[in-house]
Amino acid sequence: LYACVAACIASLFLVTASYFMIKPIFQSRGLIRISAKEQKILYADRDDSRLRLFDAFVSSELTYLTSRPVLDRALYLLSRNPAQFDDVPNNVADLSTRLDARKIKSLLEITADAVDPDSAKAIVNAVLDGYQQLQVEQLDRQQTIRERELIAREQDLLSRIDALKVNLLDVGGEYNMATLRKAHQNRLDQIELTRDQIEEITNTLANLSGGTVPSESASNEALSLRMSPN
């Protein structure tokens, strides 16, 4: 009897010591749902190629969730408030060992272990926030690249339109504004030259007639005789 009581006391002592010596491990869980843009992509039909593609996409996102870029961003988010949590990882290797991720159809489940619940929750939130931030940044980069491509395409199309307009004007015998200005200036120069010729003929006729200035009709007649038929 005394031996049995001693064994019970010893067992109770060991259980109490183990409780105070071993710290409990808390686990926090987070979920990500991958939504399909195409309708009925999650339902099997005769052509299940879309379903296989979606399943492969979900698997790739699961790999990306625990990749180095996401873990680096999670560590950066945790390092901004290190004093708030008692058990947060300090490097990627430590963070990777505490995480466990799996795929459940279109859901991604990630769990994190820590000695206190707040740290476990903070680790999961940091990974989820890092994953979301990187997704948004990647989408912004894609939109910026697409925008630059569209601007370059627009400039190229405008240049081609201008070249086409010039070609159409040349083929149709029409002229743009610059050509019209040049033609107008040529007409003005011809008129000025004609006036000078009229004045010269008038002076010549006046000298030949002994100083008498001919009439305007005579000047025009002399001009018509001197000027070429063109």
Side-chain angles (χ1 to χ4, degrees):
L1 179 62
Y2 289 105
C4 183
V5 173
C8 291
I9 295 174
S11 300
L12 181 61
F13 176 77
L14 291 175
V15 170
T16 305
S18 299
Y19 176 79
F20 287 103
M21 291 179 61
I22 299 175
K23 295 182 179 180
I25 300 298
F26 295 90
Q27 188 177 83
S28 181
R29 183 180 68 167
L31 295 175
I32 298 176
R33 183 176 183 271
I34 306 298
S35 300
K37 293 183 179 180
E38 191 170 355
Q39 296 180 356
K40 298 183 179 180
I41 198 172
L42 299 179
Y43 301 95
D45 53 12
R46 293 181 181 179
D47 182 15
D48 61 346
S49 59
R50 295 178 301 173
L51 183 62
R52 291 197 303 269
L53 289 175
F54 180 75
D55 186 69
F57 176 75
V58 176
S59 299
S60 66
E61 289 300 307
L62 177 65
T63 304
Y64 183 69
L65 180 61
T66 56
S67 63
R68 181 63 182 265
V70 176
L71 298 184
D72 286 337
R73 181 61 62 88
L75 286 175
Y76 167 74
L77 295 176
L78 289 172
S79 63
R80 293 190 302 181
N81 298 309
Q84 295 183 0
F85 311 106
D86 298 332
D87 185 24
V88 293
N90 297 322
N91 50 64
V92 175
D94 187 14
L95 177 60
S96 179
T97 56
R98 298 192 188 192
L99 296 176
D100 183 26
R102 64 171 181 165
K103 181 184 69 173
I104 309 174
K105 293 185 178 180
S106 62
L107 293 177
L108 302 181
E109 181 189 60
I110 183 169
T111 57
D113 299 333
V115 297
D116 65 283
D118 292 335
S119 297
K121 178 182 177 181
I123 293 173
V124 171
N125 288 336
V127 174
L128 295 179
D129 291 341
Y131 171 81
Q132 184 178 8
Q133 290 178 9
L134 292 177
Q135 291 284 359
V136 173
E137 292 174 4
Q138 183 179 6
L139 181 61
D140 292 340
R141 286 194 299 268
Q142 292 176 353
Q143 291 178 349
T144 303
I145 293 174
R146 183 59 178 167
E147 182 180 1
R148 289 199 297 263
E149 291 177 351
L150 291 176
I151 292 175
R153 181 62 175 168
E154 180 185 10
Q155 296 299 326
D156 178 65
L157 291 176
L158 291 176
S159 300
R160 293 172 61 181
I161 289 175
D162 293 338
L164 180 60
K165 288 181 179 180
V166 173
N167 188 23
L168 290 175
L169 291 174
D170 292 338
V171 173
E174 300 178 3
Y175 302 94
N176 54 14
M177 187 60 66
T179 306
L180 292 176
R181 289 195 186 97
K182 184 177 180 180
H184 180 67
Q185 186 62 39
N186 291 335
R187 294 293 183 182
L188 293 178
D189 294 340
Q190 290 178 359
I191 293 174
E192 188 67 24
L193 179 61
T194 302
R195 288 178 179 176
D196 294 340
Q197 290 177 349
I198 291 174
E199 184 178 357
E200 181 181 356
I201 293 172
T202 301
N203 294 333
T204 302
L205 292 176
N207 293 331
L208 292 176
S209 61
T212 304
V213 179
S215 62
E216 182 178 359
S217 60
S219 299
N220 292 335
E221 182 179 359
L223 176 62
S224 62
L225 293 175
R226 183 171 180 177
M227 295 180 65
S228 63
N230 295 329

